[in-house]
Amino acid sequence: MSAPATAAPPTSARGSAPREPRRRHRNTYAWPARAFSLPAVVVVAVLLYLPFLWTTWISLTEYDGLGSPEWVGLDKYRAMFDDANFLTSLRNTLLWVVGTITVPVALGLLIAMLSHGLRFGAWLRLPFLIPYAISGVAVGIVWVFVLQNGGGLSQALDAFGLPGADTRWLLDAPMNTVVMIGAAAWQQTGVNALLFVIGLQSIPREPIEAARLDGASGWRLFRHLYWPMLRPLTTVVVGLGLVASLKTFDIVWIMTQGGPGRNSETLAVTMYEETFVNSAYGSGSAVAVFLSAVTFLAAITYLRRQLSTERTV
Amino acid sequence: MRMRHSGLVAAAAASVLVLAACGGDDDDAEGATGPGLINFYTDKGAWEPQFLDVSDVSELSLGLGLDFTGYSDADQYSAFIRQSFRTNEKPDLFTWHTGSELEDLVAEDLLAPTTHIWESAVGNGDVPEALREHFTVGEEQYCVPMNAAYWVMYYNKAIFEQYGLAEPTSWTELMTVADTLKDNGVAPFYETNILFSFVWFQTLLAGTDPELYNALSSGEASYTDPGVVAVMEQWRTMLEAGYFGDPGDQTTPQDQLKNGNVAMINFGTFLSGQLNSVAMESGTDYDFFVIPNVNAELPQTSLIFETGPMCTAKDAENETSALQYAEWWMGEEAQTTWANARGDVSFNPKALVQDQPLAELNEQSASGDYLLLERYFEATPTPVLTAALDGFSAFVTNPGDPMPILETIQAEADAYWSSEG
């Protein structure tokens, strides 16, 4: 096997020994490897990049799905920011980001910490994990039965003589968004707990035992030991939650269809509504491009910050 | 080893069979030896048994049947049909909407004209002349009526009998019936904040000022017209007085009527079929009446009429057979089968509708006592309708000042009609 051409360059070109002709690294596997990766590259290009480019092009046009798109430049983007429905959708999506990151992450961490090291901890976590096995659509249908007017929650409150039986959980904004975040948290908490448990199990025993010997326990132990050591897992859990919350669609579509009067729409629902309900493909594509850009930037910014922080720790 | 070879042989044989199956297209009506099949697409997936009932009859008498594909989601269906025109798989027959959605397809030259079918059908007395205008764009007719429905008030007979109520013949009597029900803890009317949130706006405006109703649909009147505002205020009063059931209740209307959640439902006559499907019997468990005008001084009773087209794509693979099928669909044989399978009325006056109240309504509607008005959903251009549905949905959920809603709808209407010139 030939040695890699990684010799350090001379400090000064002048007066240095004549450089050996650089030998090109010949890898006999390069072309077969490229050939094998070609189908995957083609599939990704055809199914991912081309549709994205097409969507971006459509967002610059007036198009109702019939005939040919008509170029309008950035008009659809300008109209998007002037549209009250879009701004409501943006507000709701921000609520989803905040709610989905804080509630299921905090609850998942709490469950993981409380059940960690317990003899029957796995059984304790199981009920929280089961909802994750259910599809988002099924979760939406179940929670509609619970939260609709006169539904399970209202009946239960009424039966126990508690206030709130007349509350219109799914009709009034922003409460409908808040309760739907609760339904999503119900589904997401278990898997977050599971991920945190994996993180906890990967923490070596020695520093924990040493900290205990030094008298650390409870909150101090968590804050100064568990929490920093769980940071890689937290980065993953929050990163996944961030992306999932930005593209929230199924549960909202099933529970409220973005209504009433479009007051519970998220950006993904607005994208669908404009494209497929209103047949305004240009407007829908503009929302899609905006949502993609926001998701990409948020994910990249968050991960870069987290990873750079980890390197400096 | 033998097993491995056997597996390879079996896999090869299966591949050959799969390829053979993919290679042929036996659905081509022109090429078929038996009854030909025409591709038929609809967003009324739940109506498949009824469409297939008619298909059974057409196979016998016409030699053509329907290769049924039913969508249950209207939005997905609309997107599918729109995109199909960009491919070589254009639908032979498909259901669509009248009004601006029909005009959109014609503007792009995507539909096969049906003028010759209409001339023949009108001449034969298979369809009222008045229906033709809903299928006319420019000088030509496109598509044929798939169905027809009138919007009437269904009621639960047991509840009416329990409180000694009779079918009202005036708006005042209708309100008295509603008050009686309300006083006894029964929600008089069905209301929803999904899709059909326009129904009561339609009923109140058509029963108050039918000219304004038509002018609104054609862009000649404004949503901020005092007449429209007054109708919204009346609707608001009724909402706040507790005349309606829960608009957020997602229980189907037929179940709400059956369960007694509401005593009356303002709905299209296709509800008969849906009520029959939940074991309610016409004349025994439920009945209906034509909704009286709000304005008692109007010379005719406003009756909301709805029709949905069945269209043929231009240059579809089986275009000729599809048009032949469309022609047959308008005839007495097809419409008798269709109306009775659906439990609904028919646009064809010769169709023998077995449901007696529906048959009587079919006859009465042609008399001079009624003013037929196109359903708001079809009569309103799509962008305006979208804004209106959003507004009405919010209004029935949280009744309040209607002006912001009406101004929003009018802004859409202004944009639409100015672009239409």
Side-chain angles (χ1 to χ4, degrees):
Chain A
M1 185 183 272
S2 61
T6 54
T11 51
S12 168
R14 191 178 295 172
S16 61
R19 189 192 286 180
E20 279 186 35
R22 191 168 184 174
R23 292 175 62 189
R24 290 189 65 177
H25 179 70
R26 292 171 66 90
N27 185 344
T28 52
Y29 298 111
W31 280 107
R34 284 176 192 142
F36 275 116
S37 65
L38 190 63
V41 171
V42 169
V43 167
V44 169
V46 169
L47 297 182
L48 204 63
Y49 295 124
L50 284 181
F52 182 75
L53 291 175
W54 173 252
T55 303
T56 307
W57 152 248
I58 291 295
S59 74
L60 301 170
T61 68
E62 178 78 47
Y63 183 46
D64 65 356
L66 301 168
S68 303
E70 183 188 334
W71 174 264
V72 293
L74 295 174
D75 281 6
K76 293 296 168 192
Y77 290 93
R78 290 192 201 100
M80 186 171 81
F81 286 103
D82 287 339
D83 185 356
N85 290 323
F86 174 78
L87 298 177
T88 303
S89 177
L90 198 56
R91 180 204 68 183
N92 290 338
T93 305
L94 286 174
L95 273 175
W96 271 94
V97 170
V98 174
T100 311
I101 287 176
T102 52
V103 181
V105 173
L107 285 176
L109 183 59
L110 184 67
I111 291 164
M113 290 302 300
L114 290 177
S115 63
H116 181 57
L118 291 183
R119 194 175 172 194
F120 297 108
W123 291 103
L124 187 66
R125 291 188 296 270
L126 187 63
F128 297 98
L129 194 60
I130 288 173
Y132 191 66
I134 305 171
S135 74
V137 171
V139 168
I141 291 170
V142 168
W143 280 93
V144 163
F145 281 111
V146 174
L147 293 170
Q148 68 175 316
N149 290 6
L153 180 58
S154 293
Q155 289 179 26
L157 291 170
D158 194 33
F160 290 109
L162 295 169
D166 295 332
T167 308
R168 307 189 312 168
W169 304 103
L170 294 176
L171 299 185
D172 296 326
M175 185 167 55
N176 44 15
T177 294
V178 172
V179 297
M180 284 191 287
I181 290 170
W186 174 78
Q187 184 184 29
Q188 191 64 34
T189 296
V191 74
N192 287 350
L194 187 69
L195 289 170
F196 279 122
V197 165
I198 293 167
L200 288 170
Q201 287 172 347
S202 68
I203 296 175
R205 288 181 175 217
E206 292 79 5
I208 305 288
E209 285 166 5
R212 284 189 194 280
L213 285 173
D214 287 344
S217 63
W219 172 247
R220 285 186 65 200
L221 189 63
F222 172 77
R223 188 182 162 200
H224 295 293
L225 205 72
Y226 279 114
W227 178 245
M229 297 185 85
L230 278 176
R231 192 177 187 106
L233 238 301
T234 313
T235 303
V236 172
V237 169
V238 172
L240 289 174
L242 178 69
V243 172
S245 61
L246 282 168
K247 63 181 188 181
T248 299
F249 175 80
D250 50 2
I251 200 164
V252 176
W253 190 251
I254 292 299
M255 291 184 73
T256 64
Q257 291 194 327
R262 302 184 70 173
N263 72 14
S264 62
E265 277 185 16
T266 57
L267 286 174
V269 174
T270 303
M271 175 184 72
Y272 182 89
E273 179 94 9
E274 290 293 333
T275 309
F276 298 112
V277 179
N278 300 342
S279 295
Y281 286 68
S283 303
S285 298
V287 179
V289 171
F290 175 78
L291 177 58
S292 301
V294 168
T295 306
F296 183 74
L297 285 175
I300 290 293
T301 307
Y302 172 75
L303 289 175
R304 282 176 69 92
R305 275 181 64 90
Q306 289 301 310
L307 294 175
S308 65
T309 312
E310 274 169 26
R311 275 198 294 271
T312 56
V313 166
Chain B
M1 198 64 159
R2 188 184 298 164
M3 285 294 287
R4 190 179 296 168
H5 280 134
S6 302
L8 283 172
V9 170
S15 303
V16 169
L17 286 172
V18 168
L19 289 172
C22 293
D25 182 4
D26 294 337
D27 291 350
D28 187 342
E30 277 84 2
T33 50
L37 286 177
I38 298 169
N39 295 323
F40 173 62
Y41 297 90
T42 181
D43 59 356
K44 290 148 183 65
W47 295 9
E48 181 173 5
Q50 292 84 24
F51 278 114
L52 294 183
D53 280 353
V54 185
S55 179
D56 289 343
V57 176
S58 67
E59 282 187 19
L60 288 174
S61 66
L62 188 66
L64 293 170
L66 297 176
D67 185 3
F68 182 92
T69 303
Y71 280 68
S72 56
D73 185 300
D75 302 325
Q76 285 174 14
Y77 174 74
S78 175
F80 162 73
I81 291 294
R82 283 167 186 270
Q83 294 308 307
S84 71
F85 287 110
R86 304 178 69 84
T87 72
N88 292 326
E89 299 292 324
K90 298 176 179 66
D92 295 334
L93 275 178
F94 64 100
T95 59
W96 200 241
H97 305 281
T98 53
S100 67
E101 293 223 37
L102 180 62
E103 289 166 11
D104 287 347
L105 296 190
V106 175
E108 298 293 339
D109 196 24
L110 300 172
L111 294 181
T114 55
T115 308
H116 64 288
I117 296 176
W118 273 90
E119 281 170 2
S120 164
V122 170
N124 293 340
D126 281 336
V127 62
E129 170 71 34
L131 204 57
R132 193 199 290 234
E133 67 175 280
H134 301 294
F135 295 80
T136 302
V137 182
E139 300 296 316
E140 299 260 28
Q141 278 82 58
Y142 297 88
C143 316
V144 299
M146 184 206 71
N147 70 328
Y150 301 100
W151 281 67
V152 295
M153 189 73 80
Y154 282 85
Y155 64 93
N156 182 316
K157 288 200 79 163
I159 293 177
F160 265 48
E161 281 166 15
Q162 185 179 352
Y163 299 111
L165 302 171
E167 289 183 5
T169 56
S170 68
W171 186 259
T172 310
E173 286 180 20
L174 178 60
M175 290 301 104
T176 305
V177 167
D179 285 332
T180 307
L181 290 163
K182 191 161 65 78
D183 293 344
N184 285 286
V186 179
F189 303 117
Y190 168 80
E191 182 61 280
T192 176
N193 61 19
I194 299 173
L195 190 62
F196 284 161
S197 57
F198 67 89
V199 170
W200 275 91
F201 174 76
Q202 165 188 271
T203 298
L204 292 169
L205 185 56
T208 304
D209 190 344
E211 281 184 28
L212 181 59
Y213 179 87
N214 283 331
L216 205 58
S217 298
S218 59
E220 292 159 36
S222 166
Y223 278 84
T224 54
D225 185 286
V228 180
V229 178
V231 159
M232 290 294 284
E233 288 293 355
Q234 184 180 8
W235 192 10
R236 175 186 178 179
T237 306
M238 292 170 70
L239 284 161
E240 289 175 342
Y243 277 49
F244 295 98
D246 181 354
D249 190 341
Q250 296 185 23
T251 312
T252 61
Q254 57 267 32
D255 283 325
Q256 289 203 36
L257 193 74
K258 183 178 182 179
N259 300 339
N261 294 358
V262 296
M264 290 179 273
I265 296 183
N266 179 356
F267 226 77
T269 44
F270 49 84
L271 185 66
S272 288
Q274 290 163 219
L275 291 170
N276 297 340
S277 73
V278 294
M280 288 189 84
E281 196 177 325
S282 172
T284 305
D285 300 314
Y286 73 89
D287 213 331
F288 65 80
F289 56 86
V290 175
I291 302 170
N293 282 337
V294 180
N295 180 359
E297 292 174 8
L298 290 172
Q300 292 172 296
T301 301
S302 296
L303 180 57
I304 300 296
F305 173 77
E306 167 194 357
T307 182
M310 178 187 275
C311 304
T312 300
K314 195 174 190 179
D315 301 328
E317 187 178 4
N318 298 311
E319 182 183 341
T320 309
S321 300
L323 289 172
Q324 194 185 344
Y325 201 95
E327 186 170 10
W328 177 81
W329 180 272
M330 292 178 88
E332 182 181 343
E333 181 184 39
Q335 283 306 303
T336 297
T337 311
W338 172 247
N340 293 319
R342 277 292 309 147
D344 202 345
V345 297
S346 168
F347 57 82
N348 188 327
K350 296 182 201 166
L352 300 172
V353 178
Q354 288 165 0
D355 186 309
Q356 199 52 36
L358 287 175
E360 284 170 15
L361 178 66
N362 221 17
E363 272 183 35
Q364 288 169 7
S365 64
S367 74
D369 296 339
Y370 295 95
L371 176 65
L372 295 184
L373 297 166
E374 190 178 20
R375 188 171 72 149
Y376 181 81
F377 197 90
E378 284 78 20
T380 307
T382 306
V384 185
L385 175 70
T386 304
L389 294 182
D390 290 338
F392 297 152
S393 165
F395 186 71
V396 299
T397 309
N398 293 303
D401 181 5
M403 277 312 285
I405 291 169
L406 294 174
E407 284 165 357
T408 303
I409 304 171
Q410 186 53 38
E412 281 295 335
D414 286 339
Y416 176 81
W417 292 112
S418 63
S419 70
E420 291 292 298

